[in-house]
Amino acid sequence: MGKGFFQVPWATNETILGYAPGSPEREAVQAQYKTYFNGKADVPLYIGSEEVRTGNTRSMSPPHDHTHSVGQYHLAEKKHVSSAIEAALEARIKWAQLPWEQRAAIFLKAADLMAGPYRAKMNAATMIAQSKTIHQAEIDSACELIDFLRFNVQFMAEIYSQQPESSEGIWNRVEYRPLEGFVYAITPFNFTAIAGNLPSSAALMGNVVIWKPSSNQVFSAKVIMDVFKAAGLPDGVINMIAGNPAMITDTILDHPDFAGIHYTGSTEVFQSLWKQIANNIAQYKTYPKIVGETGGKDFIIAHPTAPAQQVATAIVRGAFEYQGQKCSAASRVYLPKSTADTILDAVKKDVASFKPPGSPEDMSNFITAVINEGSFDDLAGYIDRAKADKDAEIIAGGGYDKSKGYFIEPTVILTTDPKYVTMKTELFGPVVTIYVYEDKDWSKTLDLVDGTSEYALTGAVMGTDRYALDEATRVLENCAGNFYINDKPTGAVVGQQPFGGARASGTNDKAGSAQNLLRWVSPRLIKETFVTPEDYKYPFLG
Ligand code: NAD
């Protein structure tokens, strides 16, 4: 940028559309759903300017109708991963030099395409691939991803404007260089927005990227690539490859130009990636940036002063929206004995009002399917265990059926053991576990919340007693990177609640913030002296 200090368009959150019966947005997404559902997509690898079809394919099926195929995607072999790295490094030569406003324009255009002509496609693909209701798709694959793109452009401009002081006769400047090498983005199934953000945030800052989407999200990942291409992203800047994660990872992490990893997914995988990077550390040209947002065991603790209906609504929305498959989903709840019965009656009433789990194509469904058979079997196993264990009782739901789709009923487990397995383990499904504490044990229970889980992603305290809220905020300081007072612990909005957790939940680099973008640059300080000294002797030498 040599000819102006450009101001980027001021970012505001994309308006969430309602999809009420008869609305144009509902008709558009329903039509697109049918087209995708009845079509046969063929998703290639995107390597440089090539769309590579290896012929080694996997079928893609909606979780709510798992015998129906909506197409196939191609799997990479090692040589394709190597080609993707070469294509990225080739693209880097021009991309890293491109003025920032040109990069900004590409991603702002991508945001506008998603908000307009691609909105129904993004949402229908997410409904099919990840079994999201239209509302869950709209807040994810439309609004959140659009927000990521627009806010990140604004954050980039803010970062670039941060410059050091200069003193007389010198000028200090910082340039925010992209990393020297390429970035590896690994994305989870559960948010199309995260799938789009992880590669694009690094690319926006001038990096080139190899992106490996989750095998459960390839169908909607393809639409993201379509949008990036339509927005004019040059070939090779983001290369998307699917295939065996371990093989892809081994090939990438073996490369001397590997410069950073942008990961979201389970804790176990992140820890294995970190170890692998550490083992290879001597062979890299630069110390790789490691950014990972991982699992959670997110809590709600209600004080005796919390209004029962508000707590019940926070549990029902926080635990069951998108079948509990949000990293922030409420999955362990602590209720005071004095109000527990009233709260649980309200929860049971709400759960009983849900239609049985079904397809998101039927827009009256609130609950759809969990992502795959592995997840279904795990969840069914925990439900069976709770049915058998004497310290646990299922007070709502508990049914499951995988004959057509991977359907698990929203399930509430009541336990007498605060360290019961489902109070500690991330299940990632529509199962919430409740522990009832004696009102007098409020302070002790806060310690219990702090000490029960290895994770620290989200959590909520509810109540009207300000001293109690203050105590919880202090005691639970390290329990959650996103802490909510009198709200459910889900639903972070880009630009308002930057998202991420610590402990085993990740590096807390806050997706959707300038802090995250700073991880994708390596600042260079340039000091220029205008009148350069010509005599080594300082005045004190006389
Ligand atoms: P996952 O760990 O199964 O997969 C995540 C990604 O890692 C996928 O792309 C997968 O293919 C890949 N992967 C698996 N093994 C790998 C390996 N050996 N090398 C490299 N990549 C490998 O997670 P998921 O089921 O897709 O997503 C759910 C998990 O993600 C939950 O634990 C959830 O809490 C977490 N999550 C966290 C956040 C957050 O912001 N903290 C957000 C969304 C999801």
Side-chain angles (χ1 to χ4, degrees):
M1 201 261 305
K3 303 184 190 72
F5 294 107
F6 307 123
Q7 275 186 9
V8 298
W10 186 250
T12 53
N13 292 114
E14 177 68 10
T15 303
I16 299 169
L17 301 182
Y19 296 88
S23 60
E25 67 267 19
R26 184 172 173 122
E27 276 163 27
V29 82
Q30 279 173 329
Q32 188 62 54
Y33 184 102
K34 282 194 170 49
T35 305
Y36 278 155
F37 192 83
N38 297 320
K40 286 277 176 276
D42 185 46
V43 185
L45 313 173
Y46 294 88
I47 301 177
S49 59
E50 308 275 309
E51 293 191 357
V52 179
R53 290 179 168 79
T54 62
N56 181 11
T57 58
R58 288 276 180 287
S59 176
M60 298 181 288
S61 296
H64 43 274
D65 197 350
H66 53 65
T67 55
H68 177 80
S69 175
V70 291
Q72 62 179 15
Y73 66 96
H74 293 256
L75 302 175
E77 293 162 30
K78 192 173 169 61
K79 64 180 182 192
H80 301 114
V81 185
S82 300
S83 307
I85 297 172
E86 279 164 32
L89 293 173
E90 175 66 26
R92 189 181 185 282
I93 297 166
K94 285 170 88 173
W95 182 247
Q97 296 304 323
L98 192 69
W100 70 263
E101 73 274 13
Q102 307 293 346
R103 284 184 266 126
I106 290 169
F107 290 107
L108 289 171
K109 177 166 180 163
D112 280 4
L113 291 173
M114 287 177 189
Y118 280 83
R119 195 180 197 112
K121 288 185 174 154
M122 294 288 294
N123 284 339
T126 300
M127 291 165 78
I128 288 173
Q130 292 121 287
S131 199
K132 291 207 172 193
T133 63
I134 181 54
H135 176 68
Q136 291 300 319
E138 168 74 5
I139 59 176
D140 166 19
S141 48
C143 299
E144 188 171 354
L145 185 46
I146 293 164
D147 288 352
F148 273 133
L149 294 168
R150 290 182 181 152
F151 277 90
N152 279 345
V153 166
Q154 188 170 305
F155 296 140
M156 173 177 68
E158 285 168 14
I159 288 171
Y160 286 173
S161 71
Q162 285 171 24
Q163 294 294 327
E165 296 294 311
S166 294
S167 53
E168 205 182 322
I170 61 163
W171 184 12
N172 296 320
R173 320 191 273 274
V174 168
E175 58 176 17
Y176 293 88
R177 302 172 301 182
L179 306 183
E180 193 184 5
F182 66 89
V183 171
Y184 181 25
I186 305 179
T187 56
F189 79 83
N190 65 333
F191 276 91
T192 301
I194 297 176
N197 181 48
L198 266 48
S200 66
S201 50
L204 175 68
M205 301 309 283
N207 296 284
V208 289
V209 181
I210 315 290
W211 170 28
K212 196 208 80 56
S214 159
S215 56
N216 297 115
Q217 191 260 330
V218 176
F219 191 80
S220 50
K222 181 198 180 294
V223 187
I224 298 174
M225 283 307 286
D226 291 345
V227 175
F228 287 161
K229 283 187 173 291
L233 185 71
D235 293 334
V237 173
I238 295 178
N239 303 274
M240 186 183 105
I241 46 176
N244 179 316
M247 181 278 290
I248 294 173
T249 298
D250 287 350
T251 312
I252 287 178
L253 297 188
D254 257 357
H255 200 284
D257 288 296
F258 164 69
I261 192 160
H262 203 185
Y263 171 86
T264 298
S266 61
T267 299
E268 196 187 355
V269 171
F270 185 52
Q271 293 187 352
S272 76
L273 292 166
W274 196 307
K275 281 183 202 154
Q276 208 170 337
I277 293 166
N279 286 335
N280 292 346
I281 199 70
Q283 73 193 51
Y284 301 131
K285 286 187 184 151
T286 184
Y287 289 109
K289 302 276 178 105
I290 304 179
V291 175
E293 295 303 332
T294 65
K297 190 69 196 169
D298 311 300
F299 60 87
I300 296 175
I301 175 161
H303 187 259
T305 58
Q309 189 55 48
Q310 292 178 13
V311 180
T313 300
I315 295 171
V316 169
R317 285 189 169 173
F320 299 137
E321 281 184 311
Y322 190 39
Q323 293 77 259
Q325 297 174 117
K326 300 187 182 190
C327 46
S328 54
S331 61
R332 55 183 173 125
V333 175
Y334 302 79
L335 299 180
K337 194 163 188 184
S338 57
T339 57
D341 284 348
T342 320
I343 294 168
L344 292 177
D345 283 347
V347 169
K348 284 190 258 183
K349 196 168 149 227
D350 281 349
V351 172
S353 74
F354 299 160
K355 281 178 62 185
S359 164
E361 191 181 11
D362 175 350
M363 293 201 178
S364 64
N365 283 328
F366 184 65
I367 303 291
T368 51
V370 298
I371 193 67
N372 57 28
E373 189 166 21
S375 169
F376 176 94
D377 290 345
D378 279 354
L379 291 161
Y382 281 109
I383 289 172
D384 286 347
R385 192 167 160 182
K387 284 175 181 165
D389 283 344
K390 63 176 182 340
D391 45 4
E393 180 195 353
I394 292 186
I395 59 168
Y400 47 78
D401 177 2
K402 63 176 175 183
S403 49
K404 183 168 172 70
Y406 301 115
F407 296 126
I408 302 267
E409 279 178 14
T411 298
V412 183
I413 300 173
L414 184 63
T415 182
T416 50
D417 174 5
K419 301 260 171 115
Y420 183 66
V421 61
T422 60
M423 289 294 282
K424 294 192 299 194
T425 314
E426 183 185 51
L427 307 189
F428 225 60
V431 177
V432 64
T433 309
I434 315 270
Y435 172 72
V436 176
Y437 67 90
E438 297 289 340
D439 291 31
K440 66 176 170 42
D441 290 339
W442 160 254
S443 297
K444 270 198 233 161
T445 308
L446 291 177
D447 291 334
L448 194 59
V449 174
D450 185 42
T452 295
S453 161
E454 60 180 316
Y455 300 110
L457 192 50
T458 75
V461 60
M462 306 191 75
T464 55
D465 177 333
R466 194 37 74 170
Y467 293 113
L469 295 177
D470 177 56
E471 183 187 1
T473 307
R474 271 184 288 108
V475 176
L476 302 178
E477 180 182 4
N478 293 310
C479 265
N482 284 52
F483 186 67
Y484 294 78
I485 298 176
N486 288 325
D487 206 343
K488 64 184 168 61
T490 59
V493 173
V494 177
Q496 296 193 43
Q497 297 104 22
F499 191 80
R503 293 187 180 163
S505 291
T507 54
N508 201 11
D509 287 296
K510 297 293 186 209
S513 77
Q515 211 173 318
N516 179 279
L517 298 188
L518 279 169
R519 301 300 309 271
W520 309 118
V521 293
S522 178
R524 175 168 77 151
L525 181 285
I526 299 174
K527 175 189 175 189
E528 180 166 354
T529 302
F530 297 130
V531 182
T532 308
E534 294 181 358
D535 180 358
Y536 87 91
K537 294 193 210 72
Y538 292 106
F540 77 90
L541 292 171

